[in-house]
């Protein structure tokens, strides 16, 4: 998938007009080692974009969130339903949009999305309310290596090599497009 000219233009104008989200809709999720928000997500310390992915495509029932390196073409957007505490993203496959909903986040488990209605425990907190929280705590997200070698978001992951992170809601995509130098 590639950005159409239109969606790039929309993205750029969104970047210029409002760099921090004003509503709990249509934001990107990025990880950073810093808790304080930045009006320019590229300037968050150690920032990484994120995208949902299927660790076991054969079952195809559960998505996790993984980190993305620079050079991606598209980034999925997320919404948060404050009344149910559910974080969601809509992915389109064969022209059929499916809303993937987060399940209740548990200690030492991945952030997970399923294609079913859910009740969860996700909210926003921290300075300016730009940090994703679980049960009101913004401290506890970790990045751990998955079975297939991806860097995956966990809540309070305790495995060796898990590192602490903050999950930010932002409206501008970080390090958006890497230009290839030949
Ligand atoms: C955001 O920061 C990056 C990296 O410092 C910079 O290249 C970019 O121009 C900035 N974007 C805006 C809209 O200021
Ligand atoms: C995700 O949750 C929303 C709100 O409850 C619901 O409308 C939607 O159908 C759910 N997604 C799926 C695939 O069931
Ligand atoms: C989060 O904080 C609010 C306000 O202090 C409180 O009413 C609510 O019960 C807390 N939620 C959790 C899951 O701790």
């Amino acid at each position: 998938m590639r950005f159409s000219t239109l969606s790039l233009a929309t993205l750029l104008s969104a970047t210029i007009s409002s760099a921090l989200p004003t509503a709990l809709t249509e934001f990107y999720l990025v990880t950073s080692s810093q808790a304080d928000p930045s009006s320019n997500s590229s300037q968050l310390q150690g920032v990484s974009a994120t995208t949902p992915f299927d660790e076991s495509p054969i079952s195809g029932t559960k998505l996790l969130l993984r980190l993305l390196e620079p050079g991606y073409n598209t980034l999925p957007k997320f919404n948060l339903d404050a009344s149910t505490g559910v974080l969601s993203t809509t992915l389109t496959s064969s022209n059929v949009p499916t809303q993937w909903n987060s399940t209740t986040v548990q200690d030492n488990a991945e952030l997970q999305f399923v294609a079913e209605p859910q009740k969860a425990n996700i909210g926003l907190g921290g300075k300016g309310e730009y940090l994703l929280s679980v049960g009101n705590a913004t401290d506890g997200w970790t990045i751990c290596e998955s079975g297939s070698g991806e860097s995956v978001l966990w809540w309070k992951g305790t495995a060796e090599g898990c590192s602490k992170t903050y999950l930010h809601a932002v409206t501008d995509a970080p390090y958006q497009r890497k230009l290839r130098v030949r």
Side-chain angles (χ1 to χ4, degrees):
M1 269 195 294
R2 293 180 175 275
F3 273 130
S4 67
T5 314
L6 182 65
S7 65
L8 247 187
T10 313
L11 197 65
L12 284 175
S13 68
T15 303
I16 290 158
S17 59
S18 61
L20 289 169
T22 50
L24 310 182
T25 57
E26 300 291 300
F27 51 79
Y28 301 110
L29 286 176
V30 300
T31 58
S32 168
S33 56
Q34 95 181 48
D36 282 347
S38 168
S39 59
N40 178 345
S41 72
S42 297
Q43 289 172 1
L44 289 167
Q45 275 166 30
V47 67
S48 181
T50 65
T51 191
F53 85 112
D54 195 343
E55 171 82 356
S56 44
I58 294 164
S59 64
T61 54
K62 182 179 84 178
L63 300 181
L64 309 178
L65 196 70
R66 72 176 173 89
L67 271 52
L68 268 180
E69 310 229 324
Y72 54 81
N73 282 311
T74 61
L75 268 194
K77 292 196 167 179
F78 293 84
N79 294 293
L80 181 64
D81 183 335
S83 64
T84 56
V86 172
L87 177 69
S88 66
T89 187
T90 298
L91 303 177
T92 303
S93 165
S94 310
N95 288 321
V96 182
T98 302
Q99 183 182 331
W100 289 82
N101 298 310
S102 67
T103 62
T104 301
V105 180
Q106 290 173 337
D107 289 1
N108 198 24
E110 303 102 321
L111 172 63
Q112 302 177 21
F113 298 88
V114 295
E116 287 166 21
Q118 292 293 311
K119 279 219 170 287
N121 49 355
I122 299 182
L124 288 174
K127 197 191 276 182
E129 308 270 299
Y130 299 120
L131 290 180
L132 275 284
S133 66
V134 173
N136 290 338
T138 57
D139 266 295
W141 295 109
T142 50
I143 298 165
C144 305
E145 195 176 315
S146 78
S148 64
E150 299 286 357
S151 296
V152 171
L153 200 78
W154 287 58
W155 179 252
K156 299 187 175 170
T158 57
E160 197 185 332
C162 292
S163 58
K164 181 177 154 62
T165 193
Y166 291 97
L167 191 57
H168 291 247
V170 300
T171 56
D172 62 324
Y175 53 71
Q176 198 168 329
R177 280 163 85 83
K178 190 167 71 173
L179 294 174
R180 249 172 229 190
V181 182
R182 287 173 194 270

